[in-house]
Amino acid sequence: MADKGYLPKEKIKEFVEALGKDATVFAPCLEGDTIIFRQYTPDKEISLDRPANTPPKGAIYPQCETLLSFEFKKEADNPQKMDVELKVNTDFPKAVVFGGRPCDARGFTVIDRVFIDTDTADPYYKKRRENTTIVTKCCNGPVAGCFCVGVGGGPAVTEGSDVVMTEVDGGYYLEAVTDKGKAVMSLPMIQDGASYEAKAKAANEKATAAVRNPFPEGADKISAELFDSGDFWGNVIEKCLSCGACTFLCPTCYCFNITDEQAITTGDRIRSWDSCMFQHFTLETSGHNPRPAKHKRFRNRVGHKFYYYPEKYDGAIACTGCGRCIRYCPVSVDISEIVGYLRDPKADPKAWAAKKEDAKN
Amino acid sequence: MSTQKLKEIIKQVLPDVEAVICWQEGFDKLNVTPIFITSPEQAEKVVWNPLCAQNLASYLPSQKKKVAVAVKGCDSRTIVQYMQEGLIDRNNVVIIGIPCKGIISKKKVQKAIGNEPVEDVSFTEGSVKVKTPSGEKTFAIADVCPSKCTSCQYPTPIVYDQLTADPIQSDKPAESVYADVAELEGKTLEERKAYFLSQFDKCIRCYACRNACPMCVCQDSCIAETRDPHWITQKLSLDEKLMFHMIHALHLAGRCVECGECERVCPMEIPVAKLKKKINKEMKELFDYIPGVNPEDKPPMYIFNVDEAKIKEHKL
Ligand code: SF4
Ligand code: SF4
Ligand code: SF4
Ligand code: SF4
Ligand code: SF4
């Protein structure tokens, strides 16, 4: 099987439908002015013009899923005794995530470390992940907020993808990254791509150069001292509204809540995305809430992505710089700006003091 | 524009208040972001231009001390409504009023420039020039403004302590306010249902619309989200999304100040304010009441009259 190919633009639909022969395809679909990852059906219009409003995260890690269904039943010969019957389904169909961006694909690798690469892998996520092929569209350039190159990514980075496609000459140059990807390359509409390789490389270099890098001095560790400084957070995040936009649009946020929803004798145990920006996120049964104030919750969001996660996973940052939390924040909070204040300060504490002054603004 | 005057006023009021809430340049040239000014130097950072869409009055109920806030005409309705509902102490707020000729919808501009990154933005009277890697484009503000500006009745704040410029009068006919609702009313029930369902199907229940809404006072205790008990299932069906939006809309009945924040902030570009506007229109017809225009009014849902002029329950 070839690992380089070319797909003319007019064959996109045909390609997606072929991918969907034995799999569910999730693709960025245009609805009004919104681009959303939806289960593809021929009546939908795919749009690769800009990164989708939502990441494709939900294809593998649904916003809400039933972990198990339960039913209380009376025992036939001892009606005073109730038995509970459980049903679990992890028989997920094959799937394809088509048309996500490199930052979206890298997002899955962030979640993999937590949900798969452990002694107690999550069977739901793991099964879906294994069953899914990821065909990624490289970016022609950044949109508002993008900073992938600052966190180890880039508009043509292949990490997390099985196939990457680059726009060239009225079509796409395709490159298989994994064996799963190679299987995609054998589809009949894929033409020989070797002659487009150089052009694609040039296009990707151009796109990479156009993305802003808020951390040119490198992705250093965050200073614990500054991270713990109390009023810094109060100052930088006074404007935050504590909504869930930034976390629900993030390709790497994976926190969840589990709820048993029961009606009389039957019910479901469901898992749904949670958001550390919500007040209830850490509300304890006792009524105590360790993060009652929004700046403490925001500190957790930044800390998780740029401090605790890297500490646990060999320096890997849990943000892929997709920029969604920046461009869709109701009050234009810029996480890269805030991380910028927290970064690199140990070398020169005076620089930090100056930055802190700025941060108050 | 009146940025200079705004800075002067801020410096003047600063000694009397804990902070002045205003706008400053955001992460790129097409974005501004709120700033809580506590020193005269910070006042130099403020901007006033048609990008200043955020309704800063929303921050008022959560302020514990005396603050000043910059408001456009439409934003001032939020303050008036807060006064009617006793949600703020007027003595603790210094209102810096800005007569406004219309703002820009960032989403409309982004669409018009093909979502390219913005390198620069500049304004001349009535228009905006946007520079991107592929060149410059100029738009009339009237073509890229949010719908609320096309029928704005209150370009000058209704309440204020200081004004940054001479008051301006609305030149928009009063009937234009509910033109979009009337258009929707012209459709059949089935069409309207299909319209709203297709819109709410895009909702991810991020609650940005709720948290940005100045009149959503429950916020962290919203029944859409309480965990003990879970009043609403966490399942993500269209019914549940619709349910949340009905809750929001009904809790805003006769209270929605039509600031459009819910719609502006929705990352999924759902016309969230439409339902509320429809209810406002009903409230106006039933109770002759417009939210947020007269500090002496009481919202109709806050009072009980045995006989309502336009509700004939005894004759049913
Ligand atoms: S940072 Fe922005 S998107 Fe995130 S919770 Fe705060 S206001 Fe909402
Ligand atoms: S934190 Fe923001 S920029 Fe980083 S991956 Fe999440 S949404 Fe994207
Ligand atoms: S951050 Fe932006 S430029 Fe980078 S891969 Fe994602 S969408 Fe493309
Ligand atoms: S802001 Fe938009 S997506 Fe978020 S809950 Fe409101 S309507 Fe839904
Ligand atoms: S419902 Fe929307 S338009 Fe009405 S007050 Fe709330 S945010 Fe403003």
Side-chain angles (χ1 to χ4, degrees), chain A residues 239 242 261 268 280 331 361, chain B residues 33 42 45 59 211 220 233:
Chain A
K239 59 191 173 189
S242 282
E261 296 196 348
D268 295 319
H280 300 90
V331 290
N361 303 327
Chain B
T33 186
Q42 288 175 318
K45 304 203 165 189
Y59 291 112
N211 288 30
D220 294 338
T233 155

Side-chain angles (χ1 to χ4, degrees), chain A residues 70 259-263 266-270, chain B residues 232-235:
Chain A
F70 54 86
T259 321
D260 282 353
E261 296 196 348
Q262 187 178 342
T266 59
D268 295 319
R269 173 160 298 176
I270 61 167
Chain B
I232 300 192
T233 155
Q234 296 305 294
K235 289 181 181 166

Side-chain angles (χ1 to χ4, degrees), chain B residues 140-207:
Chain B
I141 299 219
D143 292 335
V144 288
C145 67
S147 65
K148 68 173 178 180
C149 298
T150 61
S151 62
C152 173
Q153 300 297 302
Y154 311 96
T156 303
I158 298 170
V159 283
Y160 56 82
D161 296 303
Q162 304 248 21
L163 265 197
T164 59
D166 292 335
I168 39 184
Q169 300 297 323
S170 168
D171 53 1
K172 316 277 185 332
E175 312 80 73
S176 61
V177 174
Y178 293 113
D180 55 339
V181 178
E183 189 194 320
L184 201 63
E185 286 168 345
K187 301 203 157 116
T188 66
L189 191 58
E190 284 311 309
E191 282 166 344
R192 274 179 275 162
K193 186 175 166 201
Y195 169 77
F196 279 114
L197 289 182
S198 72
Q199 291 298 337
F200 290 134
D201 195 26
K202 295 187 277 188
C203 177
I204 54 169
R205 271 169 82 176
C206 69
Y207 303 125

